[in-house]
Amino acid sequence: MITNSHAAFNPKLIKDKLKTGGYFISQQVGALNNYSLSHFFDSDYVPAYPDNTLLKTVADFQNLGFEILLAKEAQPSMTFFDIGAIIYYVSIIPWEFPDFSVDHCLSLLITAYSTRSINSK
């Protein structure tokens, strides 16, 4: 059994390392993670890894002869209750918010705070 949680992987390498009858179990974050929030801060936002999707990953493994037993995707919504939480959150995942800074996004943060309009999927 090979497991992976959130790290990049190469399906061909997984196939080469896995014994016959083995399992590969993975939990990933896809290209559209936080898309609406990223787009809120940058209307020209493009995901850093746009082809990191469940559909492509499943196809890659099937093309190598894997049987997919379970493949699920979730886009849960998030609600932020204060601006500090948003600032902290976007600062720890810069690949999803590449040009974020408080100075650069101050007017958006003020608008979001005054209208309570930031929710994310």
Side-chain angles (χ1 to χ4, degrees):
M1 178 186 310
I2 298 174
T3 63
N4 181 302
S5 182
H6 301 282
F9 57 83
N10 179 325
K12 174 76 170 90
L13 187 60
I14 299 294
K15 181 178 173 131
D16 292 345
K17 297 291 182 187
L18 205 56
K19 292 181 179 181
T20 302
Y23 291 90
F24 174 58
I25 300 170
S26 181
Q27 176 186 5
Q28 298 296 312
V29 175
L32 298 179
N33 190 59
N34 290 315
Y35 182 82
S36 63
L37 186 58
S38 296
H39 191 262
F40 176 81
F41 288 117
D42 178 0
S43 60
D44 296 325
Y45 173 73
V46 175
Y49 308 98
D51 56 341
N52 182 21
T53 65
L54 179 63
L55 185 62
K56 182 180 180 317
T57 301
V58 166
D60 289 348
F61 277 97
Q62 287 176 328
N63 289 337
L64 290 170
F66 280 86
E67 175 187 3
I68 307 301
L69 300 177
L70 178 65
K72 288 186 175 184
E73 190 168 55
Q75 300 276 328
S77 62
M78 295 184 292
T79 302
F80 296 92
F81 294 101
D82 68 57
I83 295 301
I86 295 168
I87 292 167
Y88 174 75
Y89 182 76
V90 302
S91 70
I92 61 171
I93 45 179
W95 56 92
E96 291 182 12
F97 305 93
D99 296 321
F100 178 83
S101 74
V102 173
D103 289 340
H104 178 71
C105 297
L106 187 58
S107 64
L108 290 170
L109 289 164
I110 290 168
T111 299
Y113 178 74
S114 65
T115 62
R116 307 281 194 242
S117 67
I118 293 185
N119 289 315
S120 177
K121 280 194 169 187

mmCIF file of all heavy atoms in Angstrom, residues 27-56:
data_model
loop_
_atom_site.group_PDB
_atom_site.id
_atom_site.type_symbol
_atom_site.label_atom_id
_atom_site.label_comp_id
_atom_site.label_asym_id
_atom_site.label_seq_id
_atom_site.Cartn_x
_atom_site.Cartn_y
_atom_site.Cartn_z
ATOM 1 N N GLN A 27 -5.185 11.628 -0.863
ATOM 2 C CA GLN A 27 -6.082 12.761 -0.621
ATOM 3 C C GLN A 27 -5.351 13.979 -1.148
ATOM 4 O O GLN A 27 -4.245 14.279 -0.710
ATOM 5 C CB GLN A 27 -6.376 12.914 0.867
ATOM 6 C CG GLN A 27 -7.225 14.115 1.185
ATOM 7 C CD GLN A 27 -7.379 14.328 2.688
ATOM 8 O OE1 GLN A 27 -6.787 13.630 3.502
ATOM 9 N NE2 GLN A 27 -8.166 15.304 3.041
ATOM 10 N N GLN A 28 -5.961 14.669 -2.085
ATOM 11 C CA GLN A 28 -5.293 15.793 -2.741
ATOM 12 C C GLN A 28 -6.142 17.051 -2.693
ATOM 13 O O GLN A 28 -7.342 17.000 -2.438
ATOM 14 C CB GLN A 28 -5.014 15.439 -4.207
ATOM 15 C CG GLN A 28 -4.089 14.265 -4.397
ATOM 16 C CD GLN A 28 -2.702 14.538 -3.849
ATOM 17 O OE1 GLN A 28 -2.125 15.577 -4.126
ATOM 18 N NE2 GLN A 28 -2.180 13.617 -3.071
ATOM 19 N N VAL A 29 -5.497 18.156 -2.984
ATOM 20 C CA VAL A 29 -6.182 19.424 -3.184
ATOM 21 C C VAL A 29 -6.018 19.764 -4.655
ATOM 22 O O VAL A 29 -4.907 19.781 -5.177
ATOM 23 C CB VAL A 29 -5.574 20.537 -2.298
ATOM 24 C CG1 VAL A 29 -6.210 21.877 -2.608
ATOM 25 C CG2 VAL A 29 -5.738 20.182 -0.826
ATOM 26 N N GLY A 30 -7.130 20.003 -5.330
ATOM 27 C CA GLY A 30 -7.092 20.203 -6.771
ATOM 28 C C GLY A 30 -6.922 21.656 -7.188
ATOM 29 O O GLY A 30 -6.870 22.577 -6.369
ATOM 30 N N ALA A 31 -6.874 21.834 -8.487
ATOM 31 C CA ALA A 31 -6.616 23.144 -9.089
ATOM 32 C C ALA A 31 -7.659 24.188 -8.716
ATOM 33 O O ALA A 31 -7.345 25.371 -8.656
ATOM 34 C CB ALA A 31 -6.558 23.002 -10.611
ATOM 35 N N LEU A 32 -8.888 23.775 -8.470
ATOM 36 C CA LEU A 32 -9.939 24.746 -8.194
ATOM 37 C C LEU A 32 -10.117 25.063 -6.715
ATOM 38 O O LEU A 32 -11.028 25.805 -6.349
ATOM 39 C CB LEU A 32 -11.266 24.254 -8.795
ATOM 40 C CG LEU A 32 -11.250 24.093 -10.322
ATOM 41 C CD1 LEU A 32 -12.582 23.580 -10.819
ATOM 42 C CD2 LEU A 32 -10.865 25.400 -10.998
ATOM 43 N N ASN A 33 -9.252 24.530 -5.880
ATOM 44 C CA ASN A 33 -9.322 24.840 -4.457
ATOM 45 C C ASN A 33 -9.223 26.348 -4.238
ATOM 46 O O ASN A 33 -8.326 26.991 -4.759
ATOM 47 C CB ASN A 33 -8.180 24.121 -3.716
ATOM 48 C CG ASN A 33 -8.336 24.203 -2.226
ATOM 49 O OD1 ASN A 33 -9.331 23.750 -1.694
ATOM 50 N ND2 ASN A 33 -7.355 24.778 -1.551
ATOM 51 N N ASN A 34 -10.144 26.901 -3.501
ATOM 52 C CA ASN A 34 -10.186 28.339 -3.181
ATOM 53 C C ASN A 34 -10.310 29.237 -4.410
ATOM 54 O O ASN A 34 -9.991 30.420 -4.355
ATOM 55 C CB ASN A 34 -8.952 28.772 -2.383
ATOM 56 C CG ASN A 34 -8.958 28.211 -0.995
ATOM 57 O OD1 ASN A 34 -9.973 28.243 -0.315
ATOM 58 N ND2 ASN A 34 -7.835 27.677 -0.562
ATOM 59 N N TYR A 35 -10.789 28.684 -5.521
ATOM 60 C CA TYR A 35 -10.823 29.468 -6.756
ATOM 61 C C TYR A 35 -11.598 30.780 -6.586
ATOM 62 O O TYR A 35 -11.122 31.841 -6.985
ATOM 63 C CB TYR A 35 -11.407 28.662 -7.913
ATOM 64 C CG TYR A 35 -11.398 29.463 -9.190
ATOM 65 C CD1 TYR A 35 -10.245 29.540 -9.960
ATOM 66 C CD2 TYR A 35 -12.515 30.180 -9.595
ATOM 67 C CE1 TYR A 35 -10.205 30.307 -11.113
ATOM 68 C CE2 TYR A 35 -12.485 30.946 -10.746
ATOM 69 C CZ TYR A 35 -11.330 31.012 -11.494
ATOM 70 O OH TYR A 35 -11.299 31.780 -12.624
ATOM 71 N N SER A 36 -12.787 30.728 -6.004
ATOM 72 C CA SER A 36 -13.589 31.955 -5.898
ATOM 73 C C SER A 36 -12.906 32.997 -5.021
ATOM 74 O O SER A 36 -12.942 34.192 -5.323
ATOM 75 C CB SER A 36 -15.004 31.656 -5.407
ATOM 76 O OG SER A 36 -14.986 31.106 -4.116
ATOM 77 N N LEU A 37 -12.255 32.561 -3.954
ATOM 78 C CA LEU A 37 -11.553 33.512 -3.089
ATOM 79 C C LEU A 37 -10.316 34.073 -3.790
ATOM 80 O O LEU A 37 -10.046 35.274 -3.732
ATOM 81 C CB LEU A 37 -11.170 32.845 -1.766
ATOM 82 C CG LEU A 37 -10.549 33.742 -0.698
ATOM 83 C CD1 LEU A 37 -11.493 34.897 -0.336
ATOM 84 C CD2 LEU A 37 -10.219 32.930 0.545
ATOM 85 N N SER A 38 -9.590 33.217 -4.480
ATOM 86 C CA SER A 38 -8.430 33.693 -5.242
ATOM 87 C C SER A 38 -8.865 34.691 -6.313
ATOM 88 O O SER A 38 -8.225 35.723 -6.524
ATOM 89 C CB SER A 38 -7.702 32.518 -5.898
ATOM 90 O OG SER A 38 -7.178 31.655 -4.931
ATOM 91 N N HIS A 39 -9.959 34.379 -6.991
ATOM 92 C CA HIS A 39 -10.482 35.268 -8.024
ATOM 93 C C HIS A 39 -10.997 36.573 -7.427
ATOM 94 O O HIS A 39 -10.924 37.631 -8.060
ATOM 95 C CB HIS A 39 -11.581 34.556 -8.821
ATOM 96 C CG HIS A 39 -11.978 35.281 -10.053
ATOM 97 N ND1 HIS A 39 -13.074 36.098 -10.101
ATOM 98 C CD2 HIS A 39 -11.417 35.315 -11.283
ATOM 99 C CE1 HIS A 39 -13.176 36.613 -11.309
ATOM 100 N NE2 HIS A 39 -12.177 36.154 -12.049
ATOM 101 N N PHE A 40 -11.519 36.526 -6.204
ATOM 102 C CA PHE A 40 -11.975 37.741 -5.520
ATOM 103 C C PHE A 40 -10.814 38.732 -5.370
ATOM 104 O O PHE A 40 -10.972 39.929 -5.593
ATOM 105 C CB PHE A 40 -12.548 37.391 -4.140
ATOM 106 C CG PHE A 40 -12.948 38.593 -3.331
ATOM 107 C CD1 PHE A 40 -14.160 39.213 -3.545
ATOM 108 C CD2 PHE A 40 -12.097 39.096 -2.344
ATOM 109 C CE1 PHE A 40 -14.531 40.329 -2.796
ATOM 110 C CE2 PHE A 40 -12.458 40.202 -1.596
ATOM 111 C CZ PHE A 40 -13.676 40.815 -1.820
ATOM 112 N N PHE A 41 -9.655 38.230 -5.006
ATOM 113 C CA PHE A 41 -8.494 39.093 -4.801
ATOM 114 C C PHE A 41 -7.743 39.415 -6.088
ATOM 115 O O PHE A 41 -7.007 40.392 -6.145
ATOM 116 C CB PHE A 41 -7.525 38.479 -3.783
ATOM 117 C CG PHE A 41 -8.043 38.538 -2.382
ATOM 118 C CD1 PHE A 41 -8.300 37.384 -1.670
ATOM 119 C CD2 PHE A 41 -8.287 39.753 -1.761
ATOM 120 C CE1 PHE A 41 -8.783 37.436 -0.371
ATOM 121 C CE2 PHE A 41 -8.766 39.820 -0.473
ATOM 122 C CZ PHE A 41 -9.027 38.661 0.223
ATOM 123 N N ASP A 42 -7.910 38.589 -7.126
ATOM 124 C CA ASP A 42 -7.216 38.817 -8.395
ATOM 125 C C ASP A 42 -8.116 38.338 -9.529
ATOM 126 O O ASP A 42 -8.221 37.137 -9.787
ATOM 127 C CB ASP A 42 -5.891 38.051 -8.410
ATOM 128 C CG ASP A 42 -5.122 38.191 -9.712
ATOM 129 O OD1 ASP A 42 -5.596 38.893 -10.633
ATOM 130 O OD2 ASP A 42 -4.044 37.585 -9.816
ATOM 131 N N SER A 43 -8.752 39.266 -10.217
ATOM 132 C CA SER A 43 -9.707 38.897 -11.268
ATOM 133 C C SER A 43 -9.036 38.160 -12.436
ATOM 134 O O SER A 43 -9.712 37.513 -13.224
ATOM 135 C CB SER A 43 -10.448 40.128 -11.781
ATOM 136 O OG SER A 43 -9.535 41.057 -12.321
ATOM 137 N N ASP A 44 -7.720 38.230 -12.534
ATOM 138 C CA ASP A 44 -6.983 37.513 -13.587
ATOM 139 C C ASP A 44 -6.365 36.204 -13.070
ATOM 140 O O ASP A 44 -5.518 35.613 -13.741
ATOM 141 C CB ASP A 44 -5.857 38.397 -14.149
ATOM 142 C CG ASP A 44 -6.400 39.633 -14.843
ATOM 143 O OD1 ASP A 44 -7.471 39.536 -15.473
ATOM 144 O OD2 ASP A 44 -5.756 40.695 -14.736
ATOM 145 N N TYR A 45 -6.792 35.761 -11.899
ATOM 146 C CA TYR A 45 -6.197 34.576 -11.277
ATOM 147 C C TYR A 45 -6.310 33.343 -12.180
ATOM 148 O O TYR A 45 -7.349 33.051 -12.749
ATOM 149 C CB TYR A 45 -6.881 34.271 -9.938
ATOM 150 C CG TYR A 45 -6.438 32.973 -9.333
ATOM 151 C CD1 TYR A 45 -5.174 32.852 -8.770
ATOM 152 C CD2 TYR A 45 -7.255 31.856 -9.335
ATOM 153 C CE1 TYR A 45 -4.739 31.654 -8.222
ATOM 154 C CE2 TYR A 45 -6.841 30.659 -8.793
ATOM 155 C CZ TYR A 45 -5.583 30.564 -8.234
ATOM 156 O OH TYR A 45 -5.160 29.377 -7.695
ATOM 157 N N VAL A 46 -5.191 32.627 -12.290
ATOM 158 C CA VAL A 46 -5.130 31.338 -12.967
ATOM 159 C C VAL A 46 -4.491 30.370 -11.976
ATOM 160 O O VAL A 46 -3.439 30.674 -11.404
ATOM 161 C CB VAL A 46 -4.271 31.432 -14.257
ATOM 162 C CG1 VAL A 46 -4.114 30.067 -14.894
ATOM 163 C CG2 VAL A 46 -4.873 32.424 -15.231
ATOM 164 N N PRO A 47 -5.092 29.211 -11.752
ATOM 165 C CA PRO A 47 -4.510 28.257 -10.803
ATOM 166 C C PRO A 47 -3.059 27.907 -11.156
ATOM 167 O O PRO A 47 -2.708 27.794 -12.334
ATOM 168 C CB PRO A 47 -5.414 27.025 -10.934
ATOM 169 C CG PRO A 47 -6.705 27.562 -11.440
ATOM 170 C CD PRO A 47 -6.342 28.711 -12.336
ATOM 171 N N ALA A 48 -2.250 27.726 -10.136
ATOM 172 C CA ALA A 48 -0.831 27.396 -10.336
ATOM 173 C C ALA A 48 -0.660 26.048 -11.030
ATOM 174 O O ALA A 48 0.282 25.849 -11.790
ATOM 175 C CB ALA A 48 -0.108 27.393 -8.994
ATOM 176 N N TYR A 49 -1.550 25.123 -10.760
ATOM 177 C CA TYR A 49 -1.476 23.776 -11.349
ATOM 178 C C TYR A 49 -2.831 23.451 -11.979
ATOM 179 O O TYR A 49 -3.590 22.631 -11.465
ATOM 180 C CB TYR A 49 -1.100 22.744 -10.283
ATOM 181 C CG TYR A 49 0.133 23.139 -9.518
ATOM 182 C CD1 TYR A 49 0.054 23.757 -8.274
ATOM 183 C CD2 TYR A 49 1.395 22.926 -10.077
ATOM 184 C CE1 TYR A 49 1.205 24.142 -7.594
ATOM 185 C CE2 TYR A 49 2.542 23.311 -9.397
ATOM 186 C CZ TYR A 49 2.433 23.912 -8.159
ATOM 187 O OH TYR A 49 3.566 24.296 -7.492
ATOM 188 N N PRO A 50 -3.169 24.094 -13.110
ATOM 189 C CA PRO A 50 -4.521 23.989 -13.673
ATOM 190 C C PRO A 50 -4.938 22.586 -14.099
ATOM 191 O O PRO A 50 -6.125 22.285 -14.145
ATOM 192 C CB PRO A 50 -4.493 24.940 -14.872
ATOM 193 C CG PRO A 50 -3.060 25.106 -15.214
ATOM 194 C CD PRO A 50 -2.298 24.938 -13.928
ATOM 195 N N ASP A 51 -3.996 21.719 -14.402
ATOM 196 C CA ASP A 51 -4.380 20.366 -14.813
ATOM 197 C C ASP A 51 -4.386 19.375 -13.653
ATOM 198 O O ASP A 51 -4.531 18.168 -13.857
ATOM 199 C CB ASP A 51 -3.501 19.861 -15.963
ATOM 200 C CG ASP A 51 -2.021 19.879 -15.646
ATOM 201 O OD1 ASP A 51 -1.621 20.596 -14.721
ATOM 202 O OD2 ASP A 51 -1.262 19.181 -16.341
ATOM 203 N N ASN A 52 -4.290 19.864 -12.431
ATOM 204 C CA ASN A 52 -4.381 19.016 -11.249
ATOM 205 C C ASN A 52 -5.858 18.843 -10.898
ATOM 206 O O ASN A 52 -6.387 19.483 -10.000
ATOM 207 C CB ASN A 52 -3.606 19.621 -10.081
ATOM 208 C CG ASN A 52 -3.635 18.732 -8.859
ATOM 209 O OD1 ASN A 52 -3.879 17.539 -8.949
ATOM 210 N ND2 ASN A 52 -3.402 19.327 -7.700
ATOM 211 N N THR A 53 -6.518 17.962 -11.658
ATOM 212 C CA THR A 53 -7.946 17.721 -11.458
ATOM 213 C C THR A 53 -8.192 16.240 -11.212
ATOM 214 O O THR A 53 -7.387 15.387 -11.598
ATOM 215 C CB THR A 53 -8.755 18.154 -12.695
ATOM 216 O OG1 THR A 53 -8.389 17.309 -13.795
ATOM 217 C CG2 THR A 53 -8.528 19.616 -13.035
ATOM 218 N N LEU A 54 -9.316 15.943 -10.610
ATOM 219 C CA LEU A 54 -9.675 14.549 -10.368
ATOM 220 C C LEU A 54 -9.829 13.801 -11.687
ATOM 221 O O LEU A 54 -9.324 12.681 -11.834
ATOM 222 C CB LEU A 54 -10.969 14.469 -9.557
ATOM 223 C CG LEU A 54 -11.471 13.062 -9.252
ATOM 224 C CD1 LEU A 54 -10.478 12.305 -8.385
ATOM 225 C CD2 LEU A 54 -12.833 13.130 -8.586
ATOM 226 N N LEU A 55 -10.485 14.402 -12.652
ATOM 227 C CA LEU A 55 -10.700 13.751 -13.939
ATOM 228 C C LEU A 55 -9.384 13.370 -14.615
ATOM 229 O O LEU A 55 -9.217 12.244 -15.090
ATOM 230 C CB LEU A 55 -11.521 14.670 -14.855
ATOM 231 C CG LEU A 55 -11.930 14.090 -16.203
ATOM 232 C CD1 LEU A 55 -12.827 12.875 -16.029
ATOM 233 C CD2 LEU A 55 -12.628 15.155 -17.027
ATOM 234 N N LYS A 56 -8.423 14.288 -14.629
ATOM 235 C CA LYS A 56 -7.128 13.998 -15.248
ATOM 236 C C LYS A 56 -6.368 12.930 -14.464
ATOM 237 O O LYS A 56 -5.767 12.024 -15.048
ATOM 238 C CB LYS A 56 -6.278 15.257 -15.359
ATOM 239 C CG LYS A 56 -4.938 14.979 -16.059
ATOM 240 C CD LYS A 56 -4.083 16.205 -16.170
ATOM 241 C CE LYS A 56 -2.766 15.953 -16.851
ATOM 242 N NZ LYS A 56 -2.064 14.752 -16.475
#
